[in-house]
Amino acid sequence: MTLTEEIEKLKKEKDAVILAHYYVRPEVQEVADYIGDSFYLSKVAAGLKQKTIVFCGVFFMGESAKILSPDKTVLMPDMTADCPMAHMADAETIEKMREQYEDLAVVCYINSTAELKTHSDVCVTSSNAVKIVKALPNKNIFFIPDRNLAHFISELVPEKNFIFNDGFCPTHERMDLEEVMKEKEAHPNAQVLSHPECPKEILDVSDYIGSTSGIINYATESVEKEFIVCTEEGVIYKLQQNNPDKKFYFPETVPVCPNMKKNTLEKVKHVLLTGENEVHVSDEVRRLSKASLEKMHELAG
Ligand code: 13P
Ligand code: SF4
């Protein structure tokens, strides 16, 4: 039996379902029952019938699944697969901002720890942040942790006063303008598709800016045939599957998220077999962080 066949068999035996983010290895995406961006996966996680969820992504994703589905067993193939940006804000600063600004909403990118979510009013992802921030009644927005996404949203919602936090994604922050321009020179007809976690100078030369599924959908629906992709290279699996006739290029320093890549087929099989690496969230943290995730689902529609 191949590893993939063993995993399929174990899924049935253990009443388990596999969720995978677009950044994980192609062979892991292949065994997944649901693949998507972080908003889609959080919606899926909230409504599954299986007893066990194996979350192939990074820790905040498994944690959010557990918060939204506390009765499920949530397993991570690798407990050290963590998003560094999820820790790049702190509760003290949030509480200081609340004292300093009246009429403040703390808007928390889903790439954050459950602890940070407990101090926030609403969660967002890159696919729904504009809609949610616009819908909030508050004038002042403290956006944590990502400064690049915050600046991008602030330009699209100029009626709000944004207070910025200094977090960033190391993988997207490394995106280099010169490298992108070199690709543009080599492929003059190619459109630049970027994730809003990229620095502003990359977004300024982009034809489309959106979440991972936004990028995949844009390229799939476009009449154009060539694209320069400024996000983590894992999206190539779905891009090529959907668009065998189109060409995709990455900057020379190919963007890789080392944490997403910790998810391997061997580890998926191991956690299915042993039940190891279960995600736990205390009742108190769950109760307080659930509100911000549920508000996101309510406002995003
Ligand atoms: P998406 O919500 O676009 O999938 O992004 C998640 C992420 O971690 C981007 O780095
Ligand atoms: Fe976090 Fe960046 Fe990896 Fe996304 S790509 S999970 S933001 S480190």
Side-chain angles (χ1 to χ4, degrees):
M1 232 194 287
T2 65
L3 200 45
T4 302
E5 287 165 347
E6 283 184 79
I7 290 170
E8 292 300 339
K9 189 165 165 272
L10 281 167
K11 269 202 292 198
K12 288 194 194 97
E13 279 171 25
K14 308 278 178 175
D15 190 25
V17 59
I18 299 180
L19 272 57
H21 189 265
Y22 286 127
Y23 291 165
V24 301
R25 298 162 187 275
E27 65 273 20
V28 176
Q29 293 191 45
E30 255 166 50
V31 297
D33 301 285
Y34 299 92
I35 314 166
D37 69 2
S38 44
F39 181 50
Y40 170 77
L41 293 173
S42 79
K43 276 197 298 190
V44 167
L48 288 165
K49 60 178 192 325
Q50 288 86 347
K51 209 169 75 208
T52 297
I53 299 170
V54 178
F55 212 121
C56 302
V58 286
F59 192 73
F60 77 81
M61 295 179 174
E63 203 174 39
S64 299
K66 183 69 186 176
I67 292 163
L68 291 164
S69 287
D71 299 335
K72 309 272 175 201
T73 302
V74 180
L75 306 175
M76 301 289 301
D78 189 318
M79 282 306 235
T80 70
D82 197 8
C83 170
M85 179 163 63
H87 304 269
M88 293 185 190
D90 64 89
E92 295 72 41
T93 311
I94 296 175
E95 295 315 323
K96 228 164 51 200
M97 291 300 171
R98 287 198 189 278
E99 279 168 25
Q100 206 173 322
Y101 290 88
E102 272 179 26
D103 195 21
L104 179 83
V106 178
V107 177
C108 183
Y109 190 24
I110 198 166
N111 296 40
S112 54
T113 61
E115 170 68 15
L116 284 172
K117 289 182 177 84
T118 68
H119 293 270
S120 307
D121 297 305
V122 61
C123 279
V124 296
T125 73
S126 49
S127 65
N128 58 35
V130 172
K131 186 176 179 185
I132 290 176
V133 171
K134 274 191 176 171
L136 292 172
N138 316 75
K139 173 77 183 159
N140 298 314
I141 306 292
F142 182 36
F143 194 104
I144 59 160
D146 188 11
R147 62 177 179 225
N148 291 334
L149 178 62
H151 280 282
F152 172 66
I153 306 297
S154 73
E155 284 179 15
L156 297 174
V157 195
E159 64 272 25
K160 305 280 182 185
N161 175 43
F162 271 71
I163 302 133
F164 299 99
N165 177 74
D166 213 17
F168 60 91
C169 160
T171 302
H172 287 83
E173 189 71 11
R174 269 194 293 273
M175 216 78 66
D176 180 70
L177 182 60
E178 257 180 52
E179 288 191 12
V180 175
M181 296 316 283
K182 232 163 84 183
E183 291 304 316
K184 265 173 83 95
E185 265 167 46
H187 314 286
N189 295 324
Q191 290 209 309
V192 180
L193 314 180
S194 300
H195 196 280
E197 287 175 13
C198 291
K200 179 172 164 47
E201 70 222 48
I202 305 292
L203 301 185
D204 284 346
V205 298
S206 300
D207 299 286
Y208 174 80
I209 302 163
S211 73
T212 49
S213 40
I215 288 173
I216 292 163
N217 292 342
Y218 181 90
T220 304
E221 283 157 24
S222 174
V223 292
E224 302 297 330
K225 294 283 181 218
E226 291 182 273
F227 303 90
I228 298 159
V229 182
C230 298
T231 194
E232 213 272 355
E233 60 88 43
V235 294
I236 195 66
Y237 174 72
K238 194 52 87 186
L239 283 170
Q240 274 175 343
Q241 202 179 50
N242 289 0
N243 305 284
D245 59 325
K246 297 184 183 176
K247 288 207 165 74
F248 299 98
Y249 312 103
F250 287 90
E252 195 180 343
T253 313
V254 177
V256 174
C257 174
N259 285 290
M260 287 284 187
K261 298 310 188 222
K262 288 180 180 172
N263 293 282
T264 63
L265 282 184
E266 287 77 8
K267 291 177 193 171
V268 171
K269 178 186 153 189
H270 182 78
V271 295
L272 275 169
L273 256 179
T274 61
E276 279 175 20
N277 293 358
E278 185 175 348
V279 176
H280 295 285
V281 180
S282 75
D283 285 349
E284 176 73 349
V285 169
R286 190 177 67 77
R287 189 176 58 79
L288 294 169
S289 56
K290 193 168 175 248
S292 60
L293 282 165
E294 284 181 343
K295 186 142 189 214
M296 169 178 79
H297 286 152
E298 178 199 319
L299 293 176

